[in-house]
Amino acid sequence: MTDEIKLIQSKLVLLETEVSDLRQGYIIINRRYTNALTTLKELTGHASESAKRSANAAIKAADAARNASTAATEAAALSVLKAADAAADAAASAAESAIEAAAAAAAASAAAAASVAEQAEESCLIASAQAAEATKIATEAAAEAVKLSNLATDVARSARIKNSLS
């Protein structure tokens, strides 16, 4: 009977050791999981902030395209063709910048959405929604910049044609 008790005790010691090892493993995994979630939450916030900044850049590029388009129109009206062409080129460059900013906003928004897919935490959902809204704003600004660039190019082209007919 004492051999059986010793066997049972040794099995209990093994089970206690196993439970202790499992507990330690759980603590380590839980700590890593918590750290990963915290990092994911921070990255989502950074992605949202990046999308907002990209939207602001797109808006500023659209403003630059608007100003360049106005300059092209005024230069064309005064038959200053080189200035009209330069302003049209500036409008095109601003439109390209707006497109790049919109693309950056879309990439940041996608990153935020991906983190929400991993962890549907409210702060991540809010950040992702803000990133999506920023992407919408950036895209609208880029579209406006392209229209203004096209207008500036058309005005400069018309002024050149009008000047060559004169």
Side-chain angles (χ1 to χ4, degrees):
M1 183 117 178
T2 57
D3 287 341
E4 286 179 18
I5 292 174
K6 285 181 181 178
L7 181 63
I8 292 172
Q9 284 177 338
S10 69
K11 285 186 179 184
L12 282 174
V13 168
L14 283 173
L15 286 173
E16 283 179 343
T17 303
E18 257 186 72
V19 168
S20 178
D21 289 347
L22 287 171
R23 188 175 290 132
Q24 278 303 112
Y26 170 77
I27 290 169
I28 291 169
I29 289 171
N30 190 45
R31 188 179 309 124
R32 287 180 183 165
Y33 178 73
T34 301
N35 289 342
L37 288 181
T38 300
T39 301
L40 188 60
K41 191 174 169 182
E42 289 172 2
L43 290 173
T44 304
H46 293 311
S48 179
E49 180 66 20
S50 179
K52 290 175 196 173
R53 287 178 182 259
S54 295
N56 286 336
I59 290 168
K60 289 178 182 178
D63 288 343
R66 185 178 300 103
N67 292 336
S69 179
T70 300
T73 302
E74 290 175 5
L78 298 172
S79 294
V80 183
L81 300 182
K82 286 187 179 187
D85 287 339
D89 289 344
S93 294
E96 287 178 31
S97 294
I99 291 167
E100 288 297 321
S109 183
S115 75
V116 169
E118 286 296 318
Q119 176 64 27
E121 189 174 305
E122 185 175 357
S123 63
C124 290
L125 292 169
I126 291 168
S128 180
Q130 290 172 342
E133 179 62 22
T135 300
K136 178 181 174 246
I137 291 167
T139 303
E140 289 169 354
E144 180 182 0
V146 169
K147 286 179 191 174
L148 291 165
S149 171
N150 289 338
L151 175 66
T153 301
D154 290 345
V155 165
R157 185 179 303 124
S158 293
R160 276 194 312 278
I161 292 170
K162 181 179 174 187
N163 191 41
S164 69
L165 295 176
S166 297

Tab-separated table of all heavy atoms in Angstrom, residues 68-100:
chain	number	residue	atom	x	y	z
A	68	ALA	N	-3.003	77.782	-59.016
A	68	ALA	CA	-2.274	77.679	-60.288
A	68	ALA	C	-3.233	77.797	-61.466
A	68	ALA	O	-2.904	78.418	-62.486
A	68	ALA	CB	-1.507	76.359	-60.347
A	69	SER	N	-4.415	77.237	-61.323
A	69	SER	CA	-5.414	77.337	-62.388
A	69	SER	C	-5.851	78.792	-62.576
A	69	SER	O	-5.985	79.272	-63.711
A	69	SER	CB	-6.618	76.454	-62.047
A	69	SER	OG	-7.594	76.546	-63.048
A	70	THR	N	-6.037	79.488	-61.457
A	70	THR	CA	-6.393	80.908	-61.525
A	70	THR	C	-5.272	81.698	-62.195
A	70	THR	O	-5.524	82.557	-63.060
A	70	THR	CB	-6.670	81.459	-60.105
A	70	THR	OG1	-7.747	80.729	-59.532
A	70	THR	CG2	-7.002	82.933	-60.129
A	71	ALA	N	-4.040	81.381	-61.814
A	71	ALA	CA	-2.894	82.065	-62.417
A	71	ALA	C	-2.823	81.776	-63.915
A	71	ALA	O	-2.538	82.686	-64.717
A	71	ALA	CB	-1.603	81.636	-61.730
A	72	ALA	N	-3.089	80.544	-64.288
A	72	ALA	CA	-3.061	80.193	-65.721
A	72	ALA	C	-4.143	80.955	-66.481
A	72	ALA	O	-3.899	81.464	-67.585
A	72	ALA	CB	-3.252	78.690	-65.892
A	73	THR	N	-5.319	81.053	-65.900
A	73	THR	CA	-6.430	81.761	-66.542
A	73	THR	C	-6.099	83.240	-66.714
A	73	THR	O	-6.307	83.820	-67.787
A	73	THR	CB	-7.715	81.586	-65.710
A	73	THR	OG1	-7.997	80.193	-65.593
A	73	THR	CG2	-8.900	82.283	-66.352
A	74	GLU	N	-5.553	83.851	-65.634
A	74	GLU	CA	-5.222	85.277	-65.706
A	74	GLU	C	-4.072	85.528	-66.690
A	74	GLU	O	-4.100	86.497	-67.450
A	74	GLU	CB	-4.896	85.799	-64.310
A	74	GLU	CG	-6.118	85.861	-63.422
A	74	GLU	CD	-5.820	86.270	-61.985
A	74	GLU	OE1	-4.658	86.604	-61.666
A	74	GLU	OE2	-6.759	86.248	-61.177
A	75	ALA	N	-3.085	84.657	-66.672
A	75	ALA	CA	-1.964	84.818	-67.600
A	75	ALA	C	-2.433	84.646	-69.038
A	75	ALA	O	-2.003	85.383	-69.938
A	75	ALA	CB	-0.859	83.826	-67.274
A	76	ALA	N	-3.311	83.688	-69.259
A	76	ALA	CA	-3.833	83.465	-70.616
A	76	ALA	C	-4.645	84.667	-71.081
A	76	ALA	O	-4.562	85.066	-72.252
A	76	ALA	CB	-4.686	82.194	-70.649
A	77	ALA	N	-5.422	85.262	-70.175
A	77	ALA	CA	-6.226	86.439	-70.531
A	77	ALA	C	-5.342	87.608	-70.927
A	77	ALA	O	-5.728	88.431	-71.760
A	77	ALA	CB	-7.121	86.833	-69.361
A	78	LEU	N	-4.146	87.681	-70.355
A	78	LEU	CA	-3.204	88.749	-70.679
A	78	LEU	C	-2.237	88.342	-71.787
A	78	LEU	O	-1.305	89.084	-72.100
A	78	LEU	CB	-2.414	89.144	-69.420
A	78	LEU	CG	-3.240	89.704	-68.266
A	78	LEU	CD1	-2.382	89.861	-67.028
A	78	LEU	CD2	-3.870	91.040	-68.676
A	79	SER	N	-2.451	87.157	-72.358
A	79	SER	CA	-1.605	86.602	-73.417
A	79	SER	C	-0.158	86.423	-72.977
A	79	SER	O	0.776	86.580	-73.768
A	79	SER	CB	-1.674	87.470	-74.683
A	79	SER	OG	-2.971	87.420	-75.220
A	80	VAL	N	0.048	86.086	-71.716
A	80	VAL	CA	1.384	85.766	-71.212
A	80	VAL	C	1.472	84.241	-71.241
A	80	VAL	O	1.212	83.556	-70.251
A	80	VAL	CB	1.611	86.341	-69.793
A	80	VAL	CG1	3.034	86.060	-69.326
A	80	VAL	CG2	1.310	87.826	-69.763
A	81	LEU	N	1.823	83.726	-72.401
A	81	LEU	CA	1.715	82.287	-72.652
A	81	LEU	C	2.661	81.451	-71.805
A	81	LEU	O	2.291	80.381	-71.326
A	81	LEU	CB	1.939	82.001	-74.141
A	81	LEU	CG	0.946	82.688	-75.086
A	81	LEU	CD1	1.236	82.300	-76.529
A	81	LEU	CD2	-0.489	82.335	-74.718
A	82	LYS	N	3.886	81.914	-71.629
A	82	LYS	CA	4.833	81.141	-70.815
A	82	LYS	C	4.338	81.035	-69.378
A	82	LYS	O	4.456	79.973	-68.759
A	82	LYS	CB	6.229	81.749	-70.867
A	82	LYS	CG	6.936	81.505	-72.174
A	82	LYS	CD	8.370	81.970	-72.120
A	82	LYS	CE	9.037	81.669	-73.465
A	82	LYS	NZ	10.455	81.937	-73.446
A	83	ALA	N	3.796	82.108	-68.856
A	83	ALA	CA	3.269	82.089	-67.486
A	83	ALA	C	2.041	81.182	-67.410
A	83	ALA	O	1.857	80.440	-66.430
A	83	ALA	CB	2.920	83.492	-67.023
A	84	ALA	N	1.211	81.216	-68.425
A	84	ALA	CA	0.024	80.355	-68.454
A	84	ALA	C	0.440	78.887	-68.491
A	84	ALA	O	-0.136	78.050	-67.775
A	84	ALA	CB	-0.853	80.693	-69.657
A	85	ASP	N	1.446	78.579	-69.317
A	85	ASP	CA	1.946	77.197	-69.395
A	85	ASP	C	2.563	76.760	-68.067
A	85	ASP	O	2.335	75.643	-67.600
A	85	ASP	CB	2.982	77.057	-70.520
A	85	ASP	CG	2.352	77.094	-71.906
A	85	ASP	OD1	1.134	76.825	-72.012
A	85	ASP	OD2	3.078	77.396	-72.868
A	86	ALA	N	3.344	77.654	-67.459
A	86	ALA	CA	3.981	77.324	-66.176
A	86	ALA	C	2.927	77.105	-65.097
A	86	ALA	O	3.029	76.171	-64.282
A	86	ALA	CB	4.947	78.431	-65.756
A	87	ALA	N	1.917	77.934	-65.094
A	87	ALA	CA	0.843	77.775	-64.111
A	87	ALA	C	0.066	76.484	-64.354
A	87	ALA	O	-0.320	75.792	-63.400
A	87	ALA	CB	-0.086	78.984	-64.148
A	88	ALA	N	-0.133	76.130	-65.616
A	88	ALA	CA	-0.812	74.873	-65.938
A	88	ALA	C	0.031	73.686	-65.479
A	88	ALA	O	-0.507	72.708	-64.935
A	88	ALA	CB	-1.094	74.785	-67.437
A	89	ASP	N	1.351	73.793	-65.680
A	89	ASP	CA	2.251	72.738	-65.197
A	89	ASP	C	2.207	72.636	-63.673
A	89	ASP	O	2.219	71.534	-63.114
A	89	ASP	CB	3.695	72.995	-65.661
A	89	ASP	CG	3.878	72.772	-67.154
A	89	ASP	OD1	2.993	72.140	-67.788
A	89	ASP	OD2	4.906	73.240	-67.695
A	90	ALA	N	2.162	73.782	-63.011
A	90	ALA	CA	2.076	73.788	-61.544
A	90	ALA	C	0.762	73.148	-61.083
A	90	ALA	O	0.738	72.395	-60.105
A	90	ALA	CB	2.185	75.213	-61.010
A	91	ALA	N	-0.297	73.422	-61.789
A	91	ALA	CA	-1.588	72.821	-61.447
A	91	ALA	C	-1.539	71.307	-61.627
A	91	ALA	O	-2.079	70.552	-60.803
A	91	ALA	CB	-2.705	73.422	-62.303
A	92	ALA	N	-0.869	70.859	-62.681
A	92	ALA	CA	-0.738	69.417	-62.915
A	92	ALA	C	0.085	68.763	-61.814
A	92	ALA	O	-0.273	67.681	-61.318
A	92	ALA	CB	-0.105	69.157	-64.279
A	93	SER	N	1.165	69.429	-61.415
A	93	SER	CA	1.995	68.886	-60.321
A	93	SER	C	1.213	68.837	-59.007
A	93	SER	O	1.325	67.875	-58.243
A	93	SER	CB	3.256	69.725	-60.145
A	93	SER	OG	4.078	69.599	-61.274
A	94	ALA	N	0.438	69.863	-58.753
A	94	ALA	CA	-0.382	69.888	-57.536
A	94	ALA	C	-1.419	68.765	-57.576
A	94	ALA	O	-1.692	68.122	-56.549
A	94	ALA	CB	-1.058	71.249	-57.387
A	95	ALA	N	-1.973	68.528	-58.747
A	95	ALA	CA	-2.947	67.440	-58.884
A	95	ALA	C	-2.283	66.090	-58.623
A	95	ALA	O	-2.864	65.229	-57.938
A	95	ALA	CB	-3.588	67.459	-60.272
A	96	GLU	N	-1.071	65.920	-59.139
A	96	GLU	CA	-0.334	64.673	-58.870
A	96	GLU	C	-0.070	64.508	-57.378
A	96	GLU	O	-0.196	63.403	-56.835
A	96	GLU	CB	0.986	64.663	-59.638
A	96	GLU	CG	0.825	64.441	-61.129
A	96	GLU	CD	2.159	64.485	-61.861
A	96	GLU	OE1	3.185	64.103	-61.275
A	96	GLU	OE2	2.159	64.904	-63.030
A	97	SER	N	0.285	65.598	-56.723
A	97	SER	CA	0.509	65.551	-55.267
A	97	SER	C	-0.765	65.172	-54.540
A	97	SER	O	-0.735	64.396	-53.576
A	97	SER	CB	1.014	66.908	-54.765
A	97	SER	OG	2.280	67.183	-55.276
A	98	ALA	N	-1.875	65.729	-54.970
A	98	ALA	CA	-3.160	65.403	-54.336
A	98	ALA	C	-3.495	63.925	-54.526
A	98	ALA	O	-3.983	63.262	-53.596
A	98	ALA	CB	-4.270	66.278	-54.916
A	99	ILE	N	-3.202	63.398	-55.698
A	99	ILE	CA	-3.456	61.977	-55.967
A	99	ILE	C	-2.584	61.103	-55.070
A	99	ILE	O	-3.049	60.115	-54.496
A	99	ILE	CB	-3.234	61.663	-57.465
A	99	ILE	CG1	-4.331	62.321	-58.301
A	99	ILE	CG2	-3.184	60.161	-57.707
A	99	ILE	CD1	-4.057	62.343	-59.790
A	100	GLU	N	-1.304	61.473	-54.941
A	100	GLU	CA	-0.393	60.718	-54.071
A	100	GLU	C	-0.864	60.768	-52.613
A	100	GLU	O	-0.811	59.766	-51.898
A	100	GLU	CB	1.040	61.262	-54.186
A	100	GLU	CG	1.717	60.922	-55.490
A	100	GLU	CD	1.902	59.421	-55.681
A	100	GLU	OE1	2.221	58.703	-54.721
A	100	GLU	OE2	1.732	58.966	-56.826
